Coordinates of all heavy atoms in Angstrom, one line a residue:
M944 N -35.3 1.8 202.1 CA -34.0 1.9 202.7 C -34.2 1.6 204.2 O -35.0 2.2 204.9 CB -33.5 3.3 202.5 CG -32.1 3.5 203.0 SD -31.5 5.1 202.8 CE -32.3 6.0 204.3
R945 N -33.4 0.7 204.6 CA -33.2 0.4 206.1 C -32.0 0.8 206.6 O -30.9 0.5 206.0 CB -33.4 -1.2 206.3 CG -34.8 -1.7 206.2 CD -35.2 -2.2 207.6 NE -36.6 -2.1 207.7 CZ -37.3 -2.1 208.8 NH1 -36.6 -2.1 210.0 NH2 -38.6 -2.0 208.9
I946 N -31.9 1.6 207.7 CA -30.7 2.0 208.2 C -30.3 1.2 209.4 O -31.1 0.8 210.2 CB -30.7 3.5 208.5 CG1 -31.9 3.9 209.5 CG2 -31.0 4.3 207.2 CD1 -31.9 5.3 209.9
D947 N -29.0 1.1 209.6 CA -28.5 0.3 210.7 C -28.1 1.3 211.9 O -28.2 2.5 211.8 CB -27.3 -0.6 210.4 CG -26.2 0.1 209.7 OD1 -26.1 1.4 210.0 OD2 -25.4 -0.5 209.1
S948 N -27.7 0.7 213.0 CA -27.4 1.5 214.1 C -26.3 2.5 213.9 O -26.3 3.7 214.3 CB -27.0 0.6 215.3 OG -28.1 -0.2 215.7
K949 N -25.2 2.1 213.3 CA -24.1 3.0 213.0 C -24.5 4.2 212.2 O -24.1 5.3 212.4 CB -22.9 2.3 212.3 CG -22.3 1.4 213.3 CD -20.9 0.8 212.8 CE -20.3 -0.1 213.9 NZ -19.4 -1.0 213.4
H950 N -25.4 4.0 211.2 CA -25.9 5.0 210.3 C -26.7 6.1 211.2 O -26.7 7.2 211.0 CB -26.9 4.5 209.3 CG -27.1 5.3 208.2 ND1 -26.9 4.9 207.0 CD2 -27.7 6.6 208.1 CE1 -27.2 6.0 206.0 NE2 -27.7 6.9 206.8
V951 N -27.5 5.5 212.2 CA -28.3 6.4 213.1 C -27.4 7.2 213.9 O -27.6 8.5 214.0 CB -29.2 5.5 214.1 CG1 -29.8 6.4 215.1 CG2 -30.3 4.8 213.2
W952 N -26.2 6.7 214.4 CA -25.3 7.4 215.2 C -24.7 8.6 214.4 O -24.4 9.6 215.0 CB -24.1 6.5 215.9 CG -24.8 5.4 216.7 CD1 -26.0 5.4 217.3 CD2 -24.2 4.1 217.0 NE1 -26.2 4.2 217.9 CE2 -25.2 3.4 217.8 CE3 -23.0 3.5 216.6 CZ2 -24.9 2.0 218.2 CZ3 -22.7 2.2 217.1 CH2 -23.6 1.5 217.9
E953 N -24.5 8.3 213.1 CA -23.8 9.4 212.4 C -24.7 10.6 212.3 O -24.2 11.8 212.1 CB -23.6 8.9 210.9 CG -22.3 8.0 210.9 CD -22.2 7.3 209.5 OE1 -22.9 7.8 208.5 OE2 -21.6 6.3 209.4
H954 N -26.1 10.4 212.3 CA -26.9 11.5 212.2 C -27.6 12.0 213.4 O -28.5 12.8 213.4 CB -28.1 11.0 211.2 CG -27.6 10.7 209.8 ND1 -27.1 11.7 209.0 CD2 -27.4 9.6 209.2 CE1 -26.8 11.2 207.8 NE2 -26.9 9.9 207.9
I955 N -27.2 11.3 214.6 CA -28.0 11.6 215.9 C -27.9 13.1 216.2 O -29.0 13.5 216.7 CB -27.5 10.7 216.9 CG1 -28.6 10.4 217.9 CG2 -26.2 11.2 217.7 CD1 -29.3 9.1 217.7
S956 N -26.8 13.8 216.0 CA -26.8 15.2 216.5 C -27.7 16.1 215.6 O -28.3 16.9 216.0 CB -25.4 15.7 216.7 OG -24.7 15.5 215.6
A957 N -27.5 15.7 214.3 CA -28.4 16.5 213.3 C -29.9 16.2 213.5 O -30.7 17.1 213.4 CB -28.0 16.1 211.9
Y958 N -30.1 14.9 213.9 CA -31.5 14.5 214.3 C -32.1 15.4 215.4 O -33.2 15.9 215.3 CB -31.5 13.0 214.5 CG -32.9 12.5 215.1 CD1 -33.9 12.1 214.2 CD2 -33.1 12.4 216.3 CE1 -35.1 11.6 214.6 CE2 -34.4 12.0 216.8 CZ -35.4 11.6 216.0 OH -36.5 11.1 216.4
I959 N -31.3 15.5 216.5 CA -31.7 16.3 217.6 C -31.9 17.7 217.3 O -32.8 18.4 217.7 CB -30.7 16.1 218.8 CG1 -30.7 14.7 219.3 CG2 -31.0 17.1 219.9 CD1 -29.6 14.4 220.2
D960 N -31.0 18.2 216.4 CA -31.1 19.6 216.0 C -32.2 19.9 215.0 O -32.5 20.9 214.5 CB -29.7 20.1 215.4 CG -28.7 20.2 216.4 OD1 -29.0 20.3 217.6 OD2 -27.5 20.2 216.2
G961 N -32.8 18.8 214.5 CA -33.8 18.9 213.5 C -33.3 19.3 212.1 O -34.0 19.9 211.3
E962 N -32.1 18.8 211.9 CA -31.4 19.1 210.6 C -31.4 18.0 209.6 O -30.7 18.1 208.5 CB -30.0 19.6 210.9 CG -30.0 21.0 211.5 CD -28.6 21.4 211.9 OE1 -27.6 20.6 211.8 OE2 -28.4 22.5 212.4
V963 N -32.1 16.9 209.9 CA -32.2 15.8 208.9 C -33.5 16.0 208.2 O -34.5 16.6 208.6 CB -32.2 14.4 209.6 CG1 -30.9 14.2 210.3 CG2 -33.3 14.3 210.7
D964 N -33.4 15.5 206.9 CA -34.7 15.7 206.1 C -35.8 14.7 206.5 O -35.6 13.8 207.3 CB -34.4 15.6 204.5 CG -33.8 14.2 204.1 OD1 -34.3 13.2 204.7 OD2 -32.9 14.1 203.3
T965 N -37.0 15.0 206.0 CA -38.2 14.2 206.5 C -38.0 12.7 206.3 O -38.4 11.9 207.2 CB -39.4 14.7 205.6 OG1 -39.4 16.0 205.6 CG2 -40.7 14.3 206.4
E966 N -37.4 12.3 205.2 CA -37.3 10.9 204.8 C -36.4 10.2 205.9 O -36.6 9.2 206.4 CB -36.8 10.8 203.4 CG -37.1 9.4 202.8 CD -36.6 9.3 201.4 OE1 -36.7 10.4 200.7 OE2 -36.2 8.3 201.0
L967 N -35.2 10.8 206.1 CA -34.2 10.3 207.0 C -34.7 10.3 208.5 O -34.6 9.4 209.2 CB -32.9 11.1 206.9 CG -31.7 10.6 207.8 CD1 -31.3 9.2 207.4 CD2 -30.5 11.5 207.6
R968 N -35.5 11.4 208.8 CA -36.0 11.4 210.1 C -37.0 10.2 210.4 O -37.0 9.6 211.4 CB -36.7 12.7 210.3 CG -37.6 12.9 211.5 CD -38.1 14.3 211.8 NE -37.0 15.1 212.3 CZ -36.7 15.3 213.6 NH1 -37.5 14.7 214.6 NH2 -35.7 16.0 214.1
A969 N -37.8 10.0 209.4 CA -38.8 8.8 209.5 C -38.0 7.5 209.6 O -38.4 6.7 210.5 CB -39.6 8.8 208.3
E970 N -36.9 7.4 208.9 CA -36.1 6.2 209.0 C -35.5 6.1 210.4 O -35.5 5.0 211.0 CB -34.9 6.2 208.0 CG -35.4 6.0 206.5 CD -35.9 4.6 206.3 OE1 -35.5 3.6 207.0 OE2 -36.6 4.5 205.2
I971 N -35.0 7.2 210.9 CA -34.3 7.1 212.2 C -35.4 6.9 213.4 O -35.2 6.0 214.2 CB -33.6 8.4 212.6 CG1 -32.4 8.6 211.6 CG2 -33.2 8.5 214.0 CD1 -31.7 9.9 211.7
D972 N -36.6 7.5 213.2 CA -37.7 7.2 214.1 C -38.0 5.8 214.2 O -38.3 5.2 215.2 CB -39.0 8.0 213.7 CG -38.8 9.5 214.1 OD1 -38.0 9.8 215.0 OD2 -39.6 10.3 213.5
M973 N -38.1 5.1 213.0 CA -38.6 3.7 212.9 C -37.5 2.9 213.5 O -37.9 1.9 214.3 CB -38.7 3.4 211.4 CG -39.6 2.3 211.1 SD -40.2 2.2 209.5 CE -39.0 2.8 208.4
H974 N -36.3 3.3 213.3 CA -35.2 2.4 213.8 C -35.2 2.5 215.5 O -35.0 1.6 216.1 CB -33.8 2.9 213.3 CG -32.6 2.1 213.8 ND1 -32.1 1.0 213.2 CD2 -31.9 2.2 214.9 CE1 -31.3 0.5 213.9 NE2 -31.0 1.3 214.9
L975 N -35.4 3.7 215.9 CA -35.3 4.0 217.3 C -36.5 3.2 218.1 O -36.2 2.8 219.2 CB -35.5 5.4 217.6 CG -34.3 6.4 217.3 CD1 -34.7 7.8 217.4 CD2 -33.1 6.1 218.2
E976 N -37.5 3.1 217.4 CA -38.6 2.4 218.0 C -38.3 0.9 218.3 O -38.8 0.2 219.1 CB -39.8 2.3 217.2 CG -40.7 3.7 217.3 CD -41.9 3.7 216.4 OE1 -42.4 2.6 216.0 OE2 -42.3 4.8 216.1
T977 N -37.3 0.3 217.5 CA -37.0 -1.1 217.6 C -35.7 -1.4 218.2 O -35.3 -2.5 218.4 CB -37.2 -1.8 216.2 OG1 -36.3 -1.1 215.3 CG2 -38.6 -1.6 215.7
C978 N -34.9 -0.3 218.4 CA -33.5 -0.6 218.8 C -33.2 0.1 220.2 O -33.2 1.3 220.2 CB -32.5 -0.1 217.7 SG -30.8 -0.3 218.1
E979 N -33.0 -0.7 221.2 CA -32.7 -0.3 222.5 C -31.4 0.6 222.6 O -31.3 1.6 223.3 CB -32.7 -1.3 223.5 CG -34.2 -1.8 223.9 CD -34.1 -3.0 224.9 OE1 -33.1 -3.1 225.6 OE2 -35.1 -3.8 224.9
I980 N -30.5 0.1 221.9 CA -29.2 0.7 221.9 C -29.2 2.2 221.4 O -28.7 3.1 222.0 CB -28.1 -0.1 221.1 CG1 -27.9 -1.5 221.8 CG2 -26.8 0.6 221.1 CD1 -27.0 -2.4 221.0
C981 N -29.9 2.3 220.3 CA -29.9 3.6 219.6 C -30.9 4.6 220.5 O -30.6 5.8 220.6 CB -30.4 3.6 218.2 SG -29.2 2.9 217.1
S982 N -31.8 4.0 221.1 CA -32.7 4.9 222.0 C -31.9 5.4 223.2 O -32.0 6.5 223.6 CB -33.9 4.1 222.5 OG -34.7 3.6 221.5
A983 N -31.0 4.5 223.7 CA -30.1 4.9 224.8 C -29.1 6.0 224.3 O -28.9 7.0 225.0 CB -29.4 3.7 225.3
V984 N -28.6 5.8 223.1 CA -27.8 6.8 222.5 C -28.4 8.1 222.4 O -27.8 9.2 222.7 CB -27.1 6.3 221.2 CG1 -26.3 7.4 220.5 CG2 -26.3 5.1 221.4
L985 N -29.6 8.1 221.9 CA -30.3 9.3 221.7 C -30.6 10.1 223.0 O -30.4 11.2 223.1 CB -31.7 9.0 221.0 CG -32.6 10.2 220.7 CD1 -32.0 11.2 219.8 CD2 -34.0 9.8 220.3
D986 N -31.0 9.3 224.0 CA -31.2 9.9 225.4 C -29.9 10.4 225.9 O -29.9 11.6 226.4 CB -31.7 8.8 226.4 CG -33.1 8.5 226.2 OD1 -33.9 9.2 225.5 OD2 -33.6 7.5 226.8
S987 N -28.8 9.8 225.9 CA -27.6 10.4 226.5 C -27.1 11.6 225.6 O -26.6 12.5 226.1 CB -26.5 9.3 226.6 OG -26.2 8.8 225.3
T988 N -27.2 11.5 224.3 CA -26.7 12.6 223.5 C -27.7 13.8 223.8 O -27.2 14.9 223.8 CB -26.9 12.2 222.0 OG1 -26.2 11.0 221.8 CG2 -26.2 13.3 221.1
R989 N -28.9 13.5 223.9 CA -29.9 14.7 224.2 C -29.5 15.3 225.4 O -29.6 16.5 225.6 CB -31.3 14.1 224.2 CG -32.3 15.1 223.8 CD -33.7 14.4 223.7 NE -34.2 14.5 222.4 CZ -35.1 13.6 221.8 NH1 -35.4 12.6 222.5 NH2 -35.5 13.8 220.7
N990 N -29.2 14.6 226.5 CA -28.8 15.1 227.8 C -27.6 16.0 227.6 O -27.5 17.1 228.2 CB -28.6 14.0 228.7 CG -29.7 13.3 229.3 OD1 -30.9 13.8 229.1 ND2 -29.6 12.1 229.7
V991 N -26.7 15.6 226.8 CA -25.5 16.5 226.6 C -25.8 17.7 226.0 O -25.4 18.8 226.4 CB -24.4 15.7 225.8 CG1 -23.3 16.6 225.3 CG2 -23.9 14.5 226.4
V992 N -26.7 17.7 224.9 CA -27.2 18.9 224.2 C -28.0 19.8 225.2 O -27.7 21.0 225.1 CB -28.1 18.5 223.0 CG1 -28.7 19.7 222.4 CG2 -27.3 17.7 222.0
V993 N -28.8 19.3 226.0 CA -29.5 20.1 227.0 C -28.5 20.7 227.9 O -28.7 21.9 228.3 CB -30.5 19.2 227.8 CG1 -31.1 19.9 229.1 CG2 -31.6 18.7 226.9
L994 N -27.5 20.0 228.4 CA -26.5 20.6 229.3 C -25.7 21.7 228.6 O -25.4 22.7 229.2 CB -25.4 19.5 229.8 CG -26.0 18.5 230.9 CD1 -25.0 17.4 231.1 CD2 -26.2 19.3 232.2
M995 N -25.5 21.6 227.3 CA -24.8 22.6 226.6 C -25.6 23.8 226.4 O -25.0 25.0 226.3 CB -24.3 22.1 225.2 CG -23.1 21.0 225.3 SD -22.8 20.2 223.7 CE -21.9 21.6 222.9
A996 N -26.9 23.6 226.3 CA -27.8 24.7 226.1 C -28.1 25.5 227.4 O -28.6 26.6 227.4 CB -29.1 24.3 225.5
D997 N -27.7 24.9 228.5 CA -27.9 25.5 229.8 C -27.0 26.7 230.1 O -26.0 26.9 229.3 CB -27.5 24.4 230.9 CG -28.2 24.7 232.2 OD1 -27.6 25.6 232.9 OD2 -29.1 24.1 232.6
D998 N -27.4 27.5 230.9 CA -26.6 28.7 231.2 C -25.2 28.4 231.7 O -24.3 29.2 231.5 CB -27.3 29.7 232.2 CG -28.5 30.4 231.5 OD1 -28.4 30.4 230.2 OD2 -29.3 30.9 232.2
R999 N -25.2 27.4 232.6 CA -23.9 27.0 233.1 C -23.0 26.6 232.0 O -23.4 26.0 231.0 CB -24.1 25.8 234.1 CG -24.8 26.2 235.3 CD -25.2 25.0 236.2 NE -26.2 24.3 235.5 CZ -26.6 23.1 235.8 NH1 -26.1 22.5 236.9 NH2 -27.5 22.5 235.1
V1000 N -21.7 26.8 232.2 CA -20.8 26.4 231.2 C -20.6 24.9 231.3 O -20.3 24.3 232.4 CB -19.4 27.1 231.5 CG1 -18.3 26.7 230.4 CG2 -19.6 28.6 231.4
F1001 N -20.7 24.2 230.2 CA -20.5 22.8 230.2 C -19.7 22.5 229.0 O -20.1 22.8 227.9 CB -21.9 22.0 230.1 CG -21.8 20.6 230.1 CD1 -21.6 19.8 231.2 CD2 -21.8 19.9 228.9 CE1 -21.4 18.4 231.2 CE2 -21.7 18.5 228.8 CZ -21.5 17.8 230.0
E1002 N -18.6 21.7 229.2 CA -17.9 21.3 228.1 C -17.9 19.8 227.9 O -17.7 19.0 228.8 CB -16.4 21.7 228.3 CG -16.2 23.3 228.5 CD -15.3 23.8 227.5 OE1 -14.6 23.1 226.8 OE2 -15.3 25.1 227.3
V1003 N -18.2 19.4 226.7 CA -18.1 17.9 226.4 C -16.7 17.5 226.4 O -15.9 18.2 225.8 CB -18.7 17.6 225.0 CG1 -18.6 16.1 224.8 CG2 -20.2 18.1 225.0
P1004 N -16.3 16.5 227.3 CA -14.9 16.2 227.3 C -14.4 15.7 225.9 O -15.1 15.2 225.1 CB -14.9 14.9 228.2 CG -16.2 14.9 229.0 CD -17.2 15.6 228.0
A1005 N -13.1 16.1 225.7 CA -12.5 15.8 224.4 C -12.6 14.3 224.2 O -12.4 13.5 225.0 CB -11.0 16.3 224.5
G1006 N -12.9 14.0 223.0 CA -12.9 12.5 222.6 C -14.3 11.9 223.1 O -14.4 10.7 223.0
F1007 N -15.3 12.7 223.6 CA -16.5 12.1 224.1 C -17.2 11.2 223.0 O -17.5 10.1 223.3 CB -17.5 13.3 224.5 CG -18.8 12.8 224.8 CD1 -19.1 12.2 226.1 CD2 -19.9 12.8 223.9 CE1 -20.4 11.8 226.3 CE2 -21.1 12.4 224.2 CZ -21.4 11.9 225.4
S1008 N -17.4 11.7 221.9 CA -18.1 10.9 220.9 C -17.3 9.7 220.4 O -17.9 8.6 220.1 CB -18.6 11.7 219.6 OG -17.4 12.4 219.0
E1009 N -15.9 9.9 220.4 CA -15.1 8.7 220.1 C -15.3 7.6 221.0 O -15.5 6.4 220.7 CB -13.7 9.1 219.9 CG -13.3 9.8 218.6 CD -13.6 11.3 218.7 OE1 -14.2 11.7 219.7 OE2 -13.4 12.0 217.7
R1010 N -15.3 8.0 222.3 CA -15.4 7.0 223.3 C -16.7 6.5 223.4 O -17.0 5.2 223.6 CB -15.2 7.6 224.7 CG -13.6 7.8 225.0 CD -13.3 7.8 226.5 NE -14.0 8.9 227.2 CZ -13.7 10.2 227.2 NH1 -12.6 10.6 226.7 NH2 -14.5 11.0 227.9
L1011 N -17.8 7.3 223.1 CA -19.1 6.8 223.1 C -19.4 5.7 222.0 O -19.8 4.6 222.1 CB -20.2 7.9 222.8 CG -21.6 7.6 222.7 CD1 -22.2 7.1 224.0 CD2 -22.4 8.8 222.2
H1012 N -18.8 6.0 220.8 CA -18.9 5.1 219.6 C -18.1 3.8 219.9 O -18.6 2.8 219.6 CB -18.4 5.8 218.4 CG -19.4 6.7 217.8 ND1 -19.2 7.5 216.8 CD2 -20.7 6.9 218.1 CE1 -20.2 8.3 216.5 NE2 -21.2 8.0 217.3
A1013 N -17.0 4.0 220.6 CA -16.2 2.8 220.9 C -17.0 1.9 221.8 O -16.9 0.6 221.6 CB -14.8 3.1 221.5
R1014 N -17.6 2.4 222.8 CA -18.4 1.7 223.8 C -19.6 1.0 223.0 O -19.9 -0.1 223.3 CB -18.9 2.7 224.9 CG -19.1 2.0 226.2 CD -19.8 2.9 227.1 NE -21.3 2.8 227.0 CZ -22.1 3.8 227.4 NH1 -21.6 4.9 227.9 NH2 -23.3 3.7 227.2
L1015 N -20.2 1.7 222.1 CA -21.4 1.3 221.5 C -20.9 0.1 220.6 O -21.7 -0.9 220.4 CB -22.0 2.3 220.6 CG -22.7 3.4 221.5 CD1 -23.1 4.6 220.6 CD2 -24.0 2.8 222.0
D1016 N -19.8 0.2 219.9 CA -19.4 -0.9 219.1 C -19.1 -2.2 219.8 O -19.5 -3.2 219.4 CB -17.9 -0.5 218.4 CG -18.1 0.5 217.2 OD1 -19.2 0.6 216.8 OD2 -17.1 1.1 216.8
R1017 N -18.6 -2.0 221.1 CA -18.3 -3.0 221.9 C -19.7 -3.7 222.3 O -19.8 -5.0 222.4 CB -17.6 -2.7 223.2 CG -16.7 -3.7 223.6 CD -15.5 -3.1 224.6 NE -16.1 -2.4 225.7 CZ -15.7 -1.1 226.0 NH1 -14.8 -0.6 225.3 NH2 -16.3 -0.5 226.9
E1018 N -20.7 -2.9 222.7 CA -21.9 -3.3 223.1 C -22.7 -4.1 222.0 O -23.3 -5.2 222.2 CB -22.8 -2.2 223.6 CG -22.5 -1.8 225.1 CD -23.3 -0.7 225.5 OE1 -24.4 -0.4 224.9 OE2 -23.0 -0.1 226.5
L1019 N -22.5 -3.6 220.8 CA -23.0 -4.2 219.7 C -22.5 -5.5 219.4 O -23.1 -6.6 219.1 CB -22.8 -3.3 218.4 CG -23.9 -3.3 217.3 CD1 -25.3 -2.8 217.9 CD2 -23.5 -2.3 216.3
E1020 N -21.1 -5.7 219.5 CA -20.5 -6.9 219.4 C -21.0 -7.9 220.5 O -21.2 -9.1 220.2 CB -19.0 -6.9 219.5 CG -18.4 -6.3 218.2 CD -16.9 -6.0 218.4 OE1 -16.2 -6.5 219.4 OE2 -16.4 -5.1 217.8
L1021 N -21.1 -7.5 221.7 CA -21.5 -8.3 222.8 C -23.0 -8.8 222.6 O -23.3 -9.9 222.9 CB -21.4 -7.6 224.1 CG -20.0 -7.3 224.6 CD1 -20.1 -6.4 225.8 CD2 -19.2 -8.6 224.9
S1022 N -23.8 -8.0 222.1 CA -25.2 -8.3 221.9 C -25.2 -9.3 220.7 O -26.4 -10.0 220.5 CB -26.1 -7.1 221.6 OG -25.8 -6.6 220.2
G1023 N -24.2 -9.6 220.0 CA -24.1 -10.6 219.0 C -24.9 -10.4 217.7 O -25.3 -11.3 217.0
T1024 N -25.1 -9.2 217.4 CA -25.8 -8.8 216.1 C -24.8 -8.6 215.0 O -23.8 -8.2 215.3 CB -26.7 -7.6 216.2 OG1 -26.0 -6.5 216.9 CG2 -27.9 -7.9 217.0
Ligands
ZN1163 ZN1 -29.8 0.8 216.4

């Protein structure tokens, strides 16, 4: 099974939380090694998670993930894949 970028984004928060099964985790790891866009998504998502875990109150803006995905869709189109 080969997963695409959109599939990775669907699982990215579960991946960070360690809630994906071993097989899916391996697929995502493999994809991240070869995909700069998804690596960037993982980094930015991880930063948000770290901020949320911080003592300071941090709220993810409403529609954050929708906007993120919209931006990624556009970047994906621009990259011509
Ligand atoms: Zn990707």
Side-chain angles (χ1 to χ4, degrees):
M944 183 181 83
R945 281 246 154 203
I946 57 177
D947 61 20
S948 295
K949 285 190 178 162
H950 197 123
V951 170
W952 301 338
E953 279 170 23
H954 294 288
I955 206 99
S956 55
Y958 173 88
I959 290 169
D960 292 341
E962 286 170 0
V963 293
D964 63 38
T965 317
E966 203 177 323
L967 181 58
R968 172 168 284 269
E970 290 287 342
I971 292 174
D972 283 339
M973 205 160 32
H974 182 91
L975 288 170
E976 276 179 27
T977 58
C978 182
E979 284 179 23
I980 296 173
C981 288
S982 300
V984 173
L985 178 66
D986 280 349
S987 59
T988 308
R989 205 173 243 151
N990 287 341
V991 171
V992 172
V993 168
L994 283 169
M995 286 173 78
D997 200 282
D998 285 342
R999 286 168 297 170
V1000 177
F1001 178 85
E1002 302 239 343
V1003 178
F1007 170 80
S1008 59
E1009 284 81 1
R1010 284 205 304 276
L1011 177 67
H1012 282 172
R1014 210 187 84 203
L1015 291 167
D1016 283 344
R1017 213 161 55 230
E1018 282 179 15
L1019 212 58
E1020 278 170 29
L1021 291 172
S1022 71
T1024 48

